[in-house]
Amino acid sequence: MAVKLALPLKRLLLASNLGLNKNHPLAGWQLLTILYHDGGSTDEVMTVNTLATKYNTAYLDVENNEAPISDSVLKGILTVLEDQARLIESSSRKVRQYTQNGLMHILQSHVYKITSSGIEYLTMMQRVVDAENTVTANINRIDEFCDLVQRLAAPDLMTDDTQLANDFQKMITAYSDVMKGMHKLDDDLGELTNDLAFNHGSAAAEHLQAMLSDKAIPAFKQLLAQGDLISELAASKTFSSQVATSQQGDDDLDAAHAVGDQAQMYLRFQKMQAYVERQLAQLALSFNPSASAIDSSLDTVYLLFNTILEAIQLLSQEYDHIQGQTVDIKALTADLDRLLAKYQDVVIPAAMPRHLAQDRLVTDPSDLLNATAMGPIAYAVTKRVKTVATAADNPAMAANDPEPAAALKAGLAEFQTLVMRTPQQAIIDHDLEFETQLARDEVARLYSATGYDHYDGFAPFGRAVKRVTALPSNQPIRLHYRAEHYSVWVPSGFKVEFEN
């Protein structure tokens, strides 16, 4: 069974390069840094213009020749950070902005700020870099986790201050550190025990076995003993609400609590309650001994515990095998002497002939008795003439010059004179004689728009089309360009409405 990926985590991973912009790959990270570093420490309001100015001034990747970022690109990156990654949030409010001549005016604008998830993302990525030094397996961390579980499982819990919420967060952090250390120990044990075992054991193998038996196993037994208390906390109907209440205790410094914003405090209460229930459900799953829970849990204690037991068993088997082995050096030496005395009589068979090639014509392909007398295969050499292409072999290219400015101007003037009835409407309801080919072609092309309900591909002389409808008359319309002997006929008249 695969470990399921939560939807919020999936959205964050999809936006993992923070902006999804190949020209500015670090822009998302730099924007988070600006909002975290300057968001609350300066008098400037973090609008799009402010962020663009700060980014282009101090955060461009000069080493890789990064070009200055535009407002439109910046808005797209901010959208990913806000809607998909949930690392920032925005609100529309009035801000003061100074013009180039020094005057101040007030306007409505989106103001951005970093969320708690964004702050955690910035600090978490640095911890990933330092993980080789910080992720360790130690017994003290397991003892701290067990003590916190015992404290949280007490019958009378105080919710007047934030101590209960802090203890819960410490328990989650301690368990996370324990599991990261155990996973590292799990990976290291597989390689270490295999190496020590197949190197026929040593004092290091005995020391490792003693460490696992005397320290790791008792610590893990202590960890497993907390499973019942974790299950009780996960099944409790009041514990999550108690932790959420404690988060907003007397010593809480949250701004919403300070100003008495009941709506924001209630929303915060609900989020904290859901967070506690989600974390306890994951912890309970880690301590669940069922096969389905072990397969679907990311941090199950039983799987790691089984790895340590297998390592101890492997070391014990190899150690007992080595201790039971004895070698008779005198008998081994006598056997070697007897073999060396007869080395001249040893007959080594000649190498078998290689298999016949697939293109050898033989009566019986499975008969290899005459393989040595058949001789080699003779291949006929054929001459190949290499043809080198030159520039003269390239086909003639058709001219694709743009319409000259004079032709465009003349075509536009005739189009306006012949078919435009008002500045926003053109009607073609009778035969037309054209002096310019461009105007005739544009009118003929517009008739094909009557079969569409969207007109993005139709813009005569750069003018956006709003609607094209055929006129009810079935009379065909003749479109004739004076320089040509033939005419273009359209099935009926039509009306064109242009955008303002």
Side-chain angles (χ1 to χ4, degrees):
M1 184 183 298
V3 178
K4 293 183 179 180
L5 195 63
L7 182 59
L9 179 59
K10 184 178 181 181
R11 290 173 177 169
L12 179 60
L13 293 176
L14 290 175
S16 58
N17 69 347
L18 298 183
L20 309 178
N21 191 289
K22 63 179 181 180
N23 296 323
H24 306 279
L26 296 177
W29 178 268
Q30 303 292 19
L31 290 174
L32 288 178
T33 304
I34 294 172
L35 292 174
Y36 181 68
H37 180 263
D38 301 330
S41 60
T42 63
D43 296 333
E44 294 180 285
V45 181
M46 292 300 160
T47 61
V48 173
N49 293 334
T50 305
L51 291 173
T53 302
K54 286 183 174 292
Y55 184 89
N56 291 328
T57 303
Y59 289 91
L60 283 180
D61 191 359
V62 180
E63 297 178 356
N64 294 319
N65 299 321
E66 181 184 4
I69 195 169
S70 63
D71 290 351
S72 59
V73 174
L74 184 63
K75 289 179 181 179
I77 297 174
L78 289 172
T79 300
V80 175
L81 292 178
E82 181 179 6
D83 297 339
Q84 191 168 343
R86 309 282 183 178
L87 299 180
I88 66 173
E89 60 184 13
S90 66
S91 59
S92 179
R93 60 187 178 93
K94 294 181 179 180
V95 298
R96 295 180 177 88
Q97 189 174 23
Y98 289 93
T99 60
Q100 293 181 353
N101 57 6
L103 298 177
M104 183 187 69
H105 68 285
I106 299 175
L107 71 161
Q108 194 82 9
S109 177
H110 282 280
V111 178
Y112 295 88
K113 69 175 183 178
I114 190 170
T115 62
S116 300
S117 298
I119 296 174
E120 183 66 19
Y121 190 91
L122 282 177
T123 56
M124 176 269 295
M125 294 305 290
Q126 187 59 49
R127 290 200 297 269
V128 172
V129 176
D130 300 331
E132 290 299 326
N133 302 319
T134 58
V135 175
T136 57
N138 57 74
I139 298 176
N140 290 333
R141 201 61 170 151
I142 296 178
D143 293 339
E144 180 182 355
F145 170 74
C146 296
D147 292 340
L148 288 169
V149 173
Q150 297 290 336
R151 189 184 307 174
L152 294 175
D156 298 326
L157 296 176
M158 303 296 295
T159 59
D160 297 337
D161 54 17
T162 59
Q163 185 62 45
L164 176 59
N166 294 337
D167 288 342
F168 178 81
Q169 189 58 41
K170 289 179 183 178
M171 181 195 70
I172 298 300
T173 304
Y175 183 74
S176 176
D177 292 343
V178 168
M179 285 297 102
K180 286 186 288 188
M182 290 302 103
H183 276 294
K184 186 176 185 300
L185 178 62
D186 183 17
D187 294 335
D188 294 343
L189 276 180
E191 182 178 356
L192 184 60
T193 54
N194 195 53
D195 180 65
L196 291 176
F198 285 98
N199 281 325
H200 306 298
S202 61
E206 297 181 31
H207 176 71
L208 177 62
Q209 185 177 11
M211 184 199 74
L212 294 176
S213 301
D214 300 339
K215 297 180 179 180
I217 295 297
F220 257 74
K221 287 183 177 179
Q222 184 184 5
L223 192 63
L224 289 173
Q226 312 306 316
D228 293 339
L229 294 179
I230 294 293
S231 299
E232 291 179 5
L233 291 177
S236 175
K237 297 181 179 179
T238 59
F239 180 75
S240 60
S241 60
Q242 288 176 315
V243 176
T245 303
S246 172
Q247 187 192 30
Q248 304 182 33
D250 296 336
D251 52 346
D252 180 28
L253 296 179
D254 187 75
H257 191 196
V259 300
D261 188 350
Q262 296 298 326
Q264 188 65 27
M265 291 175 63
Y266 181 69
L267 181 62
R268 186 179 172 213
F269 177 88
Q270 287 184 318
K271 289 183 177 180
M272 185 62 181
Q273 188 175 13
Y275 165 76
V276 173
E277 293 174 355
R278 186 168 60 251
Q279 292 295 331
L280 287 176
Q282 293 179 359
L283 278 177
L285 189 65
S286 299
F287 286 88
N288 192 332
S290 64
S292 60
I294 292 175
D295 290 340
S296 59
S297 176
L298 190 62
D299 293 320
T300 173
V301 295
Y302 292 97
L303 193 60
L304 302 175
F305 188 63
N306 185 60
T307 301
I308 293 180
L309 291 180
E310 290 179 352
I312 294 176
Q313 184 180 7
L314 176 61
L315 289 174
S316 300
Q317 291 175 352
E318 293 297 327
Y319 182 77
D320 295 340
H321 176 68
I322 292 167
Q323 296 299 320
Q325 287 183 339
T326 56
V327 178
D328 191 343
I329 302 299
K330 292 184 178 180
L332 180 60
T333 303
D335 291 339
L336 291 175
D337 290 341
R338 285 195 299 272
L339 290 174
L340 289 174
K342 299 179 180 180
Y343 80 96
Q344 293 179 343
D345 299 334
V346 176
V347 178
I348 300 176
M352 293 291 293
R354 299 183 64 180
H355 195 280
L356 296 179
Q358 295 296 327
D359 54 352
R360 302 289 287 274
L361 299 177
V362 294
T363 305
D364 186 4
S366 62
D367 185 8
L368 304 180
L369 296 178
N370 297 325
T372 58
M374 294 183 65
I377 302 173
Y379 292 99
V381 179
T382 58
K383 293 183 179 181
R384 295 182 60 186
V385 179
K386 185 177 181 180
T387 304
V388 179
T390 63
D393 298 319
N394 291 332
M397 296 187 65
N400 192 22
D401 297 332
E403 292 287 345
L408 286 173
K409 186 176 181 180
L412 174 59
E414 185 176 23
F415 183 86
Q416 292 175 335
T417 302
L418 291 180
V419 300
M420 294 296 294
R421 300 293 177 87
T422 67
Q424 282 79 34
Q425 190 180 75
I427 298 178
I428 296 90
D429 56 359
H430 61 277
D431 296 345
L432 297 174
E433 290 286 336
F434 292 91
E435 298 291 340
T436 62
Q437 182 181 1
L438 183 58
R440 191 276 313 272
D441 292 344
E442 290 294 344
V443 172
R445 192 167 67 88
L446 277 174
Y447 177 79
S448 61
T450 58
Y452 292 84
D453 56 1
H454 57 88
Y455 310 100
D456 297 336
F458 301 94
F461 303 100
R463 183 80 180 273
V465 175
K466 181 179 181 181
R467 186 179 300 104
V468 180
T469 56
L471 297 177
S473 174
N474 294 327
Q475 182 68 27
I477 302 297
R478 176 175 176 264
L479 308 176
H480 180 245
Y481 170 44
R482 295 184 186 278
E484 295 176 347
H485 295 292
Y486 59 88
S487 300
V488 176
W489 291 83
V490 295
S492 67
F494 59 96
K495 179 174 64 175
V496 184
E497 297 178 24
F498 295 95
E499 298 284 353
N500 294 329

